[in-house]
Amino acid sequence: MNLPWHLYLMAFLYIVAGLNHFRKPGMYIKIIPPAFKNPKLINTISGAAEIILGILLLFHPTTKLAAWGIIVLLIAVFPANLFMFQNKKASFGLPKWILFVRLFLQIIFVYWAYQYTI
């Protein structure tokens, strides 16, 4: 069974994003709120989860499970995105409006993943 092109795109985006957690860990560690202990471990787990879930999207028997996993992951990392919006040091100097749009994109990404759970 062939998968739709947009599922390949989603898988590619998560795999690349996950790999980036290992290429540039400081970028991700910087946006983890201080309330969360061991940001290096959180970065490693979230990066590995993105890679694994991206790969699992590509196999029909695991597509639904991977999509649910991505939804859970997006909810779990939302505090980092919110911290990035609220904290100037974590914002990488990006304008507030871009950071706000980024928060809204999380909702779109959840909806996109949800399309593969039904």
Side-chain angles (χ1 to χ4, degrees), residues 46-96:
S46 59
E50 285 181 334
I51 294 166
I52 293 166
L53 293 169
I55 292 168
L56 291 176
L57 281 173
L58 298 172
F59 300 97
H60 186 68
T62 57
T63 299
K64 283 185 180 184
L65 176 66
W68 280 115
I70 286 171
I71 291 168
V72 169
L73 180 65
L74 289 168
I75 293 167
V77 301
F78 191 78
N81 296 321
L82 189 58
F83 181 68
M84 189 176 183
F85 176 76
Q86 294 172 331
N87 185 292
K88 189 164 181 78
K89 288 182 182 177
S91 73
F92 297 102
L94 293 169
K96 279 280 196 192

Side-chain angles (χ1 to χ4, degrees), residues 8-22:
Y8 287 108
L9 175 62
M10 178 186 275
F12 174 77
L13 292 174
Y14 281 99
I15 293 167
V16 169
L19 290 170
N20 205 43
H21 280 255
F22 298 97

Side-chain angles (χ1 to χ4, degrees), residues 22-54:
F22 298 97
R23 281 186 56 239
K24 298 185 178 202
M27 187 172 92
Y28 296 93
I29 291 168
K30 185 176 182 177
I31 67 171
I32 296 172
F36 292 90
K37 302 303 174 210
N38 204 343
K40 288 181 183 179
L41 179 61
I42 291 171
N43 176 63
T44 300
I45 291 170
S46 59
E50 285 181 334
I51 294 166
I52 293 166
L53 293 169

